[in-house]
């Protein structure tokens, strides 16, 4: 059986709204949303293109999860509460197996994150998913990239580099690892966990934050640029997962510093507040590791065992300058 466009939308993408701010959801020409008084609206969008942002072999359920996760990660980085999203979905055919799995992955995470799908667009063409997420914060409390100051500690959540390893395993260039470790890295690639609870907890504590989508060095570089600051990063302190620890150390370090798709948060904390970080990590059950310090000298310097260390190639860019 094949579904028409409207049946498809009704069947896979219409769910009752959970958020009281949804005055009108899917079904009209536009959604009507009410931002709570005293809050600001944060809006972000991200596109995932088949074969570009995920391997063509990716499980459709993981595609649905990840398409939303990468968007939620941007809200997490701003300290926003997720509220609403719209989904522009382009698929080659109305393949019901694909759509059912995709919708399953999408709605599972949407439910977990408490975000409502309030509209979208559905078209035929090469597989591409664009999601726009909307979140709210109490006015003036959003985390931004431009607040880092010399002396602030630099932290990273969870572990970085696993998604890079996962991608190498999927495309056959990765190391041979025990099954359970390979599976963990692969999961980190396919089902990133947006750090929403951390983002909320960092409001009023972190001086700046960003989510790591394009590699730690590159994304931390964005904080430094926006904050007009520099930093020194001690690569010895980077948190490695068991999977990464089982790899060649140089290769593991390259993934941890420069591979994309981890969706951890990198944030800075003023020195007088750093003592609060370990308690927060314990409360969230999430590693929060101090990896360096903001300073006044422009640029990002890496050190290893006290000596300058030249990092591997920078992170991911779709359009790399040709110099
Ligand atoms: P229009 O022609 O006015 O743009 P559409 O026919 O594209 O409207 O969509 C009908 C309704 O279904 C709209 O409310 C739209 O927001 C919603 N919608 C369309 N595609 C999706 C989707 N993939 N997910 C969620 N809602 C969707
Ligand atoms: Mg439309």
């Amino acid at each position: 059986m094949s579904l028409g466009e409207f049946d498809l939308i009704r069947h896979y993408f219409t769910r009752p709204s959970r958020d009281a701010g949804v005055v009108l959801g899917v079904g009209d020409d536009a959604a009507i949303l009410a931002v709570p008084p005293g809050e600001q609206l944060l809006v972000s969008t991200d596109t995932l293109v088949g074969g570009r942002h995920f391997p063509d072999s990716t499980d459709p359920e993981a595609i649905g999860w990840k398409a939303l996760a990468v968007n939620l990660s941007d809200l997490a980085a701003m300290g926003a509460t997720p509220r609403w999203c719209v989904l522009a979905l382009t698929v080659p055919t109305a393949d019901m197996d694909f759509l059912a799995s995709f919708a399953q992955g999408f709605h599972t995470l949407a439910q977990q994150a408490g975000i409502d799908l309030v509209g979208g667009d559905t078209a035929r063409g090469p597989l591409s998913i664009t999601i726009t997420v909307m979140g709210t914060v109490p006015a003036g409390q959003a985390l931004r990239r431009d607040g880092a100051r010399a002396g602030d500690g630099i932290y990273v959540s969870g572990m970085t580099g696993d998604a890079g390893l996962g991608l190498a395993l999927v495309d056959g260039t990765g190391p041979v690892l025990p099954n359970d470790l390979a599976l963990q890295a692969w999961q980190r690639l396919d089902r990133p966990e947006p750090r929403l609870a951390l983002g909320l907890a960092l409001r009023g504590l972190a001086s700046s934050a960003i989510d790591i989508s394009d590699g730690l060095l590159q994304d931390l570089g964005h904080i430094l640029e926006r904050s007009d600051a520099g930093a020194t990063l001690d690569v010895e302190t980077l948190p490695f997962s068991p999977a990464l620890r089982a790899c060649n150390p140089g290769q593991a370090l390259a993934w941890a510093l420069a591979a994309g798709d981890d969706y951890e948060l990198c944030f800075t904390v003023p020195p007088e507040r750093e003592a609060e970080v370990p308690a927060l990590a314990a409360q969230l059950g999430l590693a929060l590791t101090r990896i360096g310090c903001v300073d006044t000298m422009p640029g990002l310097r890496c050190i290893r065992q006290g000596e300058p260390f030249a990092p591997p190639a920078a992170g991911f860019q779709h359009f790399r300058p040709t110099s």
Side-chain angles (χ1 to χ4, degrees):
M1 186 185 91
S2 79
L3 292 178
E5 179 185 336
F6 300 110
D7 292 330
L8 184 160
I9 294 165
R10 200 171 309 122
H11 192 67
Y12 294 114
F13 299 114
T14 308
R15 297 285 184 279
S17 299
R18 289 172 288 257
D19 189 311
V22 181
V23 181
L24 189 62
V26 170
D28 213 311
D29 288 310
I32 307 177
L33 306 169
V35 177
E39 307 242 325
Q40 289 173 324
L41 179 67
L42 288 87
V43 181
S44 178
T45 196
D46 256 321
T47 294
L48 262 65
V49 175
R52 181 81 199 163
H53 294 93
F54 52 86
D56 288 318
S57 60
T58 306
D59 174 5
E61 196 178 329
I63 299 173
W65 173 285
K66 186 167 179 172
L68 182 57
V70 305
N71 276 278
L72 288 170
S73 179
D74 285 319
L75 291 182
M78 301 293 290
T81 301
R83 294 203 179 270
W84 314 297
C85 63
V86 292
L87 163 66
L89 179 63
T90 306
V91 284
T93 58
D95 174 341
M96 290 180 60
D97 290 337
F98 177 91
L99 287 167
S101 298
F102 176 90
Q104 169 80 27
F106 178 94
H107 291 301
T108 301
L109 179 56
Q111 164 123 34
Q112 262 180 40
I115 195 165
D116 278 337
L117 179 62
V118 296
D121 197 25
T122 308
R124 186 190 296 267
L127 181 60
S128 165
I129 306 113
T130 297
I131 295 177
T132 301
V133 284
M134 288 159 269
T136 59
V137 292
Q141 288 189 29
L143 302 169
R144 304 162 49 134
R145 297 179 177 182
D146 58 7
R149 297 291 172 262
D152 291 357
I154 302 171
Y155 292 81
V156 70
S157 68
M159 312 281 149
T160 69
D162 289 327
L165 167 59
L167 184 60
L169 293 172
V170 170
D171 69 19
T173 59
V176 177
L177 293 179
N179 272 345
D180 57 329
L181 296 183
L183 211 62
Q184 281 168 24
W186 186 30
Q187 280 289 104
R188 290 293 311 274
L189 175 71
D190 270 6
R191 287 167 200 277
E193 296 277 347
R195 300 303 187 189
L196 290 162
L198 174 60
L200 293 183
L202 289 177
R203 291 203 304 228
L205 174 61
S207 50
S208 71
I210 191 168
D211 69 317
I212 305 175
S213 51
D214 298 325
L216 174 61
L217 289 179
Q218 182 166 307
D219 288 322
L220 174 57
H222 293 316
I223 285 188
L224 299 176
E225 196 181 324
R226 295 292 298 239
S227 300
D228 211 6
T232 305
L233 203 91
D234 183 351
V235 301
E236 293 279 292
T237 58
L238 287 176
F240 278 15
S241 67
L244 225 57
R245 265 184 266 124
C247 299
N248 167 288
Q251 176 64 80
L253 191 56
W255 281 320
L257 287 170
D261 262 5
D262 280 317
Y263 302 100
E264 295 294 347
L265 297 188
C266 177
F267 56 96
T268 58
V269 178
E272 67 276 11
R273 303 291 303 275
E274 288 193 76
E276 297 170 44
V277 176
L280 177 59
Q283 180 199 323
L284 295 171
L286 177 66
L288 300 176
T289 308
R290 192 181 198 280
I291 57 171
C293 188
V294 181
D295 44 43
T296 46
M297 203 197 309
L300 176 54
R301 289 156 295 284
C302 290
I303 56 167
R304 186 181 200 178
Q305 291 164 345
E307 298 291 320
F309 170 78
F316 185 77
Q317 290 187 30
H318 283 278
F319 302 99
R320 202 169 273 290
T322 48
S323 85

